Amino acid sequence: MTIEQVLHKAESYLSKDDIAFITKAYEYAKSAHEGQFRKSGEPYIHHPVEVAGILVNLQMDPVTVAAGFLHDVVEDTSITLKDISNQFNEEVAMLVDGVTKLKKIKFKSKEEQQAENHRKMFVAMAQDIRCILIKLADRLHNMRTLKHMPKEKQIQKANETLEIFAPLAHRLGISTIKWELEDVSLRYLNPQQYYRIVNLMQQKRAEREEYVQQVMDEMKSKLKEVQITVDISGRPKHIYSIYRKMAKQGKQFNEIYDLLAVRIIVQNIKDCYAALGIIHTCYKPMPGRFKDYIAMPKANMYQSLHTTVIGPKGDPLEVQIRTSDMHRVAEYGIAAHWAYKEGATKAPVSSFENKLTWFREILEWQNDVVDAEEFMESLKVDLFSDMVFVFTPKGDVYELPSGSVPIDFAYRIHTEIGNRCIGAKVNGKMVTLDYRLKTGDIIEILTSKHSYGPSQDWLKITQSSHAKNKIRQWFKREKREENVAKGKELVEKEIKNRGYDLKEIFTTENLQYVAQKYNFAGEEDMYAAVGYNGITAAQIATRLTDKVRRKKEQDPDNSELMDAIRDSADKPEVKRRTDSGIVVKGIDNMLIRLSKCCNPVPGDDIVGYITKGRGVSVHREDCVNVHNEDAQVRLLPVEWEGNLEQPKNYNVDIEINGFDRRGLLNEVLHAVAETKTNITAVSGKSDRNKMATISMSISIHNVSHLQKVVERIKRIPDIYAVRRIMQ
């Protein structure tokens, strides 16, 4: 999309002053990004223009469109938020800040940085929903141009999109963005299955289209007879939804019968139900396949009638019936409520704010979660899991994450009801508190003033982050002294188990440093958090022992070693053989070990690192543990010993990614066995998108041997990546 096309589209709903405002934002962004190019070779300004174009298609207000043009200038140029505020206004600056990544802060790992970026984005989103609309537009265009990125980056971005951004688009009801994000992600995560489904869909496409057209003509004729004005269209089934159904239900493509769908748009709600009656009269409905989302809308404000009928040829046919307003909400979700109209007041937040209370809760409980990665895991459960709809005895409906128990429901109604809960009735019958709620259940919570309050076990059985947070708050408030004592005991025990001296670790300076690192007011708050399971003792112990551990590893008493190294420079070149297969220039009787963090093998470029009491540790040259200023003075040259009488074995860790199917692990093990390679450890897991990750330790002779194993595994169908990993 060009800037001219974006402005032309914007002119259909914005005033001349608004057009001038967003044009100014475009010119400012173009100047800031001057000389920058994307991986595709295009000028960088092409990306902000595309993002703004997506926002204009959603008919967003001029402030949001301007922020779309400017969303990368703070992150990628010398422009500051203050500059944007001065040039435009504070509202634009706030939206840009909400989608700007935290690049200037040092993080322990890329995973921690990514989690903190997501945390920042979601908190900004809870304050102003337009932040996430800009971020979704940004991610959508990045996914459209993902082919220009390295393979590893493609997989990482596609996984992140499926785990976070596509489900978020679904929760916000923006189906046009959700479907495209899912389909593009599948194309990079499992290209074999993606193109297979595309080809199978195209094979009988003409036949299906002719059949659907015949059904639509019949329906239109029947509805016209009863004077219902309709707009009928065929609804294509999206590739990812077919893939999920095949993976989840274990079906082949030819066993998926609901590829056909018809959408009927009518003028009002009365006509929705009238049209449903006509459809059920003409075609036999399938039992249990009718859903009324008009009377009971989804949390993302989606409304429609769904039914599945048996078509003229005996095949199941899905029918959706809705009004034009419902259709706009179904396509654009929350963006439909933000649609900007000239002369109107600011977006009608009050009309749907009560339906998005889960966003407001993010602000409430995110401050109690000290670890960003834990925050993201909790968020995924609440926002992105499947949902169940349950009722109070009075008929009020509540939406909860799938797997929720009566305690989740109790806390959703009111905190005090949760704290005083002693039992529950579901559909009139007593159930245990770990009963898994199902859609349609009617729940009555039993309470008592004499209740002792929540149990620690409730944290293990509750599903929603809202309930877990309220339980932790109760323990934090009611049993502070007990939690402090318990937490300190757990931390001390963890540190002792690791072999450290408590006096050396428990210094005032060290305790204050770690407490601040996790955003606690002091050490008592830190211990209390461990006591009520807000953070684990292992996390605190790791931080507390961090400095001592590094000191032991990086501050060797190396005077004798350094003298030996200096002396060796004046000696004739002598190569000493060692049991490890490593040659050290000019040094005798040196203890040498291969580092476990990077597992070097013959063929790797290596370097020696002097350690306290453990001689020389040999690392790969690209190992992160030898790339710091302190390490440089302790490095010495080493090399692999050639012409060994008997090849030695070296352990290497590899990670294998692929589509999870029956027999995949067996095929991988068989492939490794074919290369006459010993396997010392293996483990595997699969995520909800049927993406398998197999971690394996193998015993090899050298880099050539490793490459042979990798190439053999890559030949297995449905394997898309094999890589060597560091611990």
Side-chain angles (χ1 to χ4, degrees), residues 489-520:
E489 182 185 342
L490 289 171
V491 173
E492 288 179 352
K493 183 178 179 182
E494 183 71 27
I495 290 173
K496 283 180 181 177
N497 289 341
R498 298 184 184 195
Y500 291 96
D501 180 11
L502 292 180
K503 289 183 180 179
E504 188 180 14
I505 301 299
F506 282 91
T507 63
T508 303
E509 182 186 356
N510 198 22
L511 289 168
Q512 288 177 348
Y513 167 76
V514 175
Q516 289 174 1
K517 195 75 177 174
Y518 283 111
N519 299 319
F520 291 116

Side-chain angles (χ1 to χ4, degrees), residues 608-628:
Y609 180 90
I610 304 168
T611 60
K612 185 176 181 179
R614 290 184 291 177
V616 175
S617 175
V618 178
H619 294 255
R620 283 163 54 184
E621 278 195 352
D622 59 353
C623 180
V624 294
N625 290 326
V626 293
H627 284 282
N628 58 67

Side-chain angles (χ1 to χ4, degrees), residues 173-193:
I174 314 174
S175 61
T176 52
I177 291 179
K178 177 212 174 200
W179 289 120
E180 187 173 352
L181 288 177
E182 288 181 336
D183 284 356
V184 176
S185 297
L186 180 63
R187 191 168 81 206
Y188 291 102
L189 288 176
N190 201 331
Q192 286 181 313
Q193 285 284 25

